[in-house]
Amino acid sequence: MTTAGDRIRLCEEYIHRPRTPYRARKPRYDAAADRLFSARISNRDILVDVGVGGTELDVCLRVDYGWRGRYVPIDGWLDGVDLETWQPPRTFHWFACLEVLEHLHDPGRLVKALQDNATCGLVITTPNPEVWDVLSMDPTHLTPISQDMLKAWGFETTLHTFYGKYQDGITGMWTRVT
């Protein structure tokens, strides 16, 4: 069993690996922001960014979209949280889970936990396994997430170019039906 200290160390190693520049990753944040605004995220809402990395979704939402809501980051490198077992402590309006699900052994468990605790919705992005061998993209990738899998979990999906190949990324949007 990994300890919180082990998770923080692993996350520190991951976060300090060479990364592509923000402008190269920005299409993911734009796709997520577009879905959130289409689903009517408001300045009164709380967005929990699960597996936040460098808080770049927050930057995109505030700088490019003028969003002024409350942003809550959750990530192992911040506090040692283990997303394999983490449960939201309460309900929130929105959750974002960008480039995270493919890193989990049981992504469906986290998706269900987020859906159960989202009063408005959940947006995700992930590499498209129809275009990429997701497991060989990164040694921390454990589970390819397909459009069919996301649709089975209730997501509406769209394809995007995130990594340099046509339609190599998937954005999924799930909204609570009231």
Side-chain angles (χ1 to χ4, degrees):
M1 176 133 201
T2 41
T3 66
D6 293 334
R7 286 189 298 277
I8 290 172
R9 182 184 50 77
L10 291 170
C11 289
E12 281 292 329
E13 290 172 8
Y14 182 78
I15 202 74
H16 291 295
R17 287 182 15 204
R19 297 177 58 147
T20 56
Y22 171 76
R23 72 184 182 300
R25 294 187 313 279
K26 191 171 181 310
R28 304 172 213 177
Y29 310 126
D30 284 331
D34 288 345
R35 294 315 164 283
L36 288 165
F37 278 93
S38 292
R40 298 194 176 318
I41 192 171
S42 82
N43 289 334
R44 295 180 312 273
D45 290 344
I46 299 171
L47 170 69
V48 177
D49 193 352
V50 179
V52 63
T55 70
E56 292 161 326
L57 176 60
D58 186 40
V59 171
C60 179
L61 287 168
R62 294 184 191 289
V63 171
D64 297 333
Y65 293 79
W67 183 65
R68 298 294 176 249
R70 181 170 289 171
Y71 176 85
V72 179
I74 301 291
D75 199 306
W77 74 277
L78 295 172
D79 57 13
V81 68
D82 180 357
L83 294 179
E84 293 283 3
T85 60
W86 181 76
Q87 290 282 121
R90 54 169 288 234
T91 61
F92 293 96
H93 298 110
W94 300 95
F95 288 93
C97 198
L98 309 184
E99 310 299 308
V100 170
L101 296 178
E102 65 275 8
H103 296 271
L104 302 176
H105 290 285
D106 184 7
R109 188 214 59 83
L110 180 60
V111 166
K112 180 165 180 4
L114 298 178
Q115 289 172 328
D116 287 349
N117 288 281
T119 62
C120 295
L122 163 63
V123 64
I124 68 96
T125 63
T126 190
N128 182 354
E130 297 293 321
V131 176
W132 288 104
D133 177 359
V134 174
L135 300 179
S136 70
M137 287 177 76
D138 180 319
T140 66
H141 286 187
L142 303 172
T143 307
I145 308 296
S146 69
Q147 278 190 288
D148 289 340
M149 185 182 295
L150 290 169
K151 288 176 183 176
W153 292 335
F155 287 84
E156 292 182 17
T157 64
T158 51
L159 297 175
H160 305 270
T161 302
F162 291 157
Y163 313 97
K165 290 185 180 180
Y166 180 68
Q167 295 187 337
D168 61 1
I170 304 170
T171 299
M173 186 74 207
W174 174 87
T175 52
R176 178 161 304 285
V177 177
T178 54

